[in-house]
Amino acid sequence: MTFFSFAKGHLLVPWLMFAVLIFGLEWTDADMRFASLLFNWQGGVDSWPLRGHWITESLLHVTGRNLVILFTVVVVVAIGLSFRVDKLRLYRKGFIYLFTSLLASVLLVRMGKSISHMTCPWDVIEFGGRMIHSSLFERLPEGAEFGQCFPGGHSSGGFAWVASYYVLKQCHRRYAKFGLLFGIGLGAIFGLAQELRGAHFISHDLWSLAIAWTSASLLYYGFFLYVPKVKRISVANKVSIINANVCDKAIYKL
């Protein structure tokens, strides 16, 4: 499969959907509207009441993060065991791909946070903070602080597991959709928890999903679908030799 044919269904369509959502949020100012809705629903005045709640902080944030770390350790252990256990050897490449994709997604989001200027909801003036809220596509006013709260870090730990869709697609195709639902569902739960705490806007988490899906898709193509030019030439030569031998035998019979 060529990269273009793969990208049409796995990258182009998701990117178009993402672009529509992002520009829709920008045009309607939905980030601030939704954050205000959550803030007022909680009864917030100068802080977010659910910021330190045990469900959003201890359960969904801290425990959720530890759960993702545990899942990742299981994948690493599975890679190690695949060198000793015959039944796991067949899945070694899938485990390595999954770990690589998880790591790439999280690192890319971390890099984005280090260079972005967007603030967390709990830091902006409208919600009791002291910083100015600005769009990703706007320049900060002179002297304004960089927020470094974009993209959503916690949700990226969940969205990164969309890569399990590709692992299952390669190994057990009928279950692939469950891998996709698992990654999107886990990221959405983590993202909503952070939005309830005032840690992120919706767009922050949508960008994390886009990064996770893009890195998972590109790595899947590189791991499982890309055929180096040298290998293609080698296969073509073998086919030519086989065809030539077949023709020689046919002529000999004549």
Side-chain angles (χ1 to χ4, degrees):
M1 178 183 289
T2 65
F3 178 74
F4 181 72
S5 61
F6 171 78
K8 280 193 298 183
H10 294 82
L11 290 173
L12 183 59
V13 172
W15 283 347
L16 287 174
M17 294 172 60
F18 168 72
V20 170
L21 286 172
I22 287 298
F23 285 110
L25 289 174
E26 289 292 325
W27 184 59
T28 61
D29 197 27
D31 260 350
M32 282 295 290
R33 289 175 183 270
F34 186 66
S36 297
L37 180 67
L38 294 180
F39 186 75
N40 294 329
W41 171 74
Q42 296 175 36
V45 178
D46 56 3
S47 64
W48 292 76
L50 292 181
R51 179 171 181 173
H53 195 277
W54 72 270
I55 294 179
T56 53
E57 167 62 14
S58 300
L59 180 62
L60 295 177
H61 187 215
V62 177
T63 304
R65 179 188 61 207
N66 294 338
L67 186 64
V68 167
I69 293 173
L70 177 61
F71 287 165
T72 307
V73 170
V74 170
V75 174
V76 174
V77 171
I79 294 173
L81 289 176
S82 69
F83 289 93
R84 292 181 173 272
V85 181
D86 290 339
K87 289 184 178 180
L88 293 177
R89 188 172 301 161
L90 295 173
Y91 303 104
R92 182 190 302 160
K93 190 173 183 179
F95 289 140
I96 294 174
Y97 156 76
L98 181 57
F99 175 73
T100 304
S101 185
L102 293 172
L103 186 63
S105 297
V106 172
L107 288 179
L108 285 171
V109 168
R110 295 300 177 194
M111 289 172 60
K113 291 173 76 70
S114 68
I115 61 176
S116 67
H117 64 266
M118 295 185 71
T119 55
C120 304
W122 61 38
D123 287 329
V124 301
I125 296 171
E126 290 84 347
F127 305 122
R130 56 184 179 80
M131 300 176 70
I132 298 173
H133 170 67
S134 65
S135 163
L136 177 66
F137 306 103
E138 296 175 344
R139 287 193 175 190
L140 282 176
E142 189 69 28
E145 293 183 64
F146 270 54
Q148 296 187 344
C149 197
F150 169 90
H154 188 50
S155 63
S156 71
F159 287 135
W161 289 88
V162 295
S164 59
Y165 163 77
Y166 285 118
V167 174
L168 292 172
K169 182 179 181 180
Q170 193 67 24
C171 304
H172 300 286
R173 183 176 292 268
R174 71 171 69 177
Y175 301 114
K177 63 181 179 181
F178 294 108
L180 182 62
L181 292 174
F182 173 69
I184 292 178
L186 190 62
I189 291 171
F190 288 171
L192 180 59
Q194 290 296 79
E195 289 160 22
L196 286 169
R197 296 180 65 234
H200 288 293
F201 291 105
I202 297 177
S203 64
H204 296 188
D205 296 318
L206 284 176
W207 275 96
S208 291
L209 173 57
I211 291 170
W213 179 255
T214 299
S215 62
S217 299
L218 293 175
L219 285 169
Y220 172 73
Y221 183 83
F223 265 77
F224 297 104
L225 302 180
Y226 173 71
V227 179
K229 187 176 181 180
V230 174
K231 188 173 180 179
R232 291 200 301 268
I233 293 173
S234 176
V235 171
N237 289 337
K238 288 179 180 179
V239 171
S240 298
I241 292 172
I242 292 172
N243 289 338
N245 290 335
V246 171
C247 290
D248 289 343
K249 290 180 179 178
I251 293 172
Y252 177 76
K253 289 180 179 179
L254 292 174

